[in-house]
Amino acid sequence: MSRYSRQELFAPIGPEGQARIRATRVLLVGCGALGTHLAEFCVRAGVSALTIVDRDFVEPSNLQRQSLFTEQDAREALPKAVAAERQLRALSSDVVIRGVVEDFSFRNAEKLAADADLILDGTDNFETRFLLNDLAVKTGKPWIYAACVEAQASCMPVLPGRTACLRCLLEEQPAGGGDTCDTVGVIMPAVLQAVAWASVVALKIMTGNEAALLCKHYNVDLWTGERRI
């Protein structure tokens, strides 16, 4: 049985869908709570190549929710992109993995996304998300907005020219940048919920099952059970 046999046995994907996944190049911006789990998903799913962009360094407070990192990484204050690349290379030799220790900005956005077929959001601020949104709209590349804070998880697929984009949902950035994990905290289940949504959306896009997408913004508070669409 092949490495990806259980994924291929899932009828909506099958061998043809797996071949599509193997041909997909992913750009992941941000390697924190969302980003580490999304990076691991991409590698285990068997994408062709994964570029991870993050400027930050591993800290002890990251270990509560950010997979791929260890206490040793925190002691050495390794760049997150470097630590993630090392862990992911040990996980799979099938995937071309590149960690980029840079701030994702308007200066390098198009260059970093040039070869990408899909853009994933592992960020923690709306300034970068709006940049990702505008980049996707300009280049026509699909991207997946994902977010988590406190007990809330959100996700929204953006297929430029075919679906609403982030600016349709939010005309302006939240005042003060909005709540963040640094200001109000986050629990692991919220991270995993956002990652689960973003991952299944990514699978649908990568395998050509876009007709199965529910192109809406989903938000749930796992603590209160409140859901918003």
Side-chain angles (χ1 to χ4, degrees), residues 38-104:
L38 287 171
E40 184 175 346
F41 153 71
C42 286
V43 171
R44 289 190 183 279
V47 300
S48 171
L50 173 65
T51 297
I52 305 167
V53 184
D54 195 291
R55 68 181 180 186
D56 289 336
F57 299 83
V58 182
E59 300 176 350
S61 64
N62 300 149
L63 303 180
Q64 168 253 346
R65 64 200 178 282
Q66 300 180 18
S67 66
L68 303 181
F69 303 143
T70 67
E71 290 184 345
Q72 185 62 33
D73 295 333
R75 282 192 290 270
E76 296 177 10
L78 282 182
K80 290 183 176 182
V82 171
E85 178 182 328
R86 182 173 65 184
Q87 290 286 79
L88 293 168
R89 284 184 182 275
L91 180 62
S92 177
S93 59
D94 285 351
V95 182
V96 178
I97 303 162
R98 182 169 69 113
V100 179
V101 186
E102 289 184 23
D103 183 24
F104 187 80

Side-chain angles (χ1 to χ4, degrees), residues 146-157:
C148 57
V149 69
E150 295 184 313
Q152 297 181 54
S154 299
C155 181
M156 178 180 173

Side-chain angles (χ1 to χ4, degrees), residues 3 5 33 61 76 78 92 104 118 137 139 143 146 160 163-164 174 179 183 198 222:
R3 178 174 185 141
S5 62
S61 64
E76 296 177 10
L78 282 182
S92 177
F104 187 80
L118 175 66
V137 170
T139 62
W143 83 286
T163 71
D179 292 333
T183 60
L222 297 174

Side-chain angles (χ1 to χ4, degrees), residues 62 134 180:
N62 300 149
D134 295 346
T180 70

Side-chain angles (χ1 to χ4, degrees), residues 33-34 61 64-66 124 129 147-153 178-191 220-223:
L34 292 172
S61 64
Q64 168 253 346
R65 64 200 178 282
Q66 300 180 18
D124 60 0
R129 289 188 178 113
C148 57
V149 69
E150 295 184 313
Q152 297 181 54
D179 292 333
T180 70
C181 299
D182 288 339
T183 60
V184 296
V186 66
I187 59 173
M188 187 68 154
V191 177
V220 63
D221 187 313
L222 297 174
W223 201 262

Side-chain angles (χ1 to χ4, degrees), residues 99-177:
V100 179
V101 186
E102 289 184 23
D103 183 24
F104 187 80
S105 71
F106 70 90
R107 296 182 181 86
N108 61 9
E110 290 193 41
K111 179 180 179 181
L112 289 168
D115 295 330
D117 303 301
L118 175 66
I119 302 171
L120 297 182
D121 175 12
T123 68
D124 60 0
N125 67 88
F126 279 96
E127 180 180 357
T128 307
R129 289 188 178 113
F130 273 85
L131 175 59
L132 283 171
N133 184 79
D134 295 346
L135 172 68
V137 170
K138 180 178 180 179
T139 62
K141 298 177 186 289
W143 83 286
I144 303 170
Y145 158 68
C148 57
V149 69
E150 295 184 313
Q152 297 181 54
S154 299
C155 181
M156 178 180 173
V158 177
L159 306 179
R162 289 177 283 172
T163 71
C165 74
L166 187 60
R167 289 190 183 276
C168 301
L169 179 68
L170 298 170
E171 294 183 3
E172 298 181 357
Q173 297 182 36

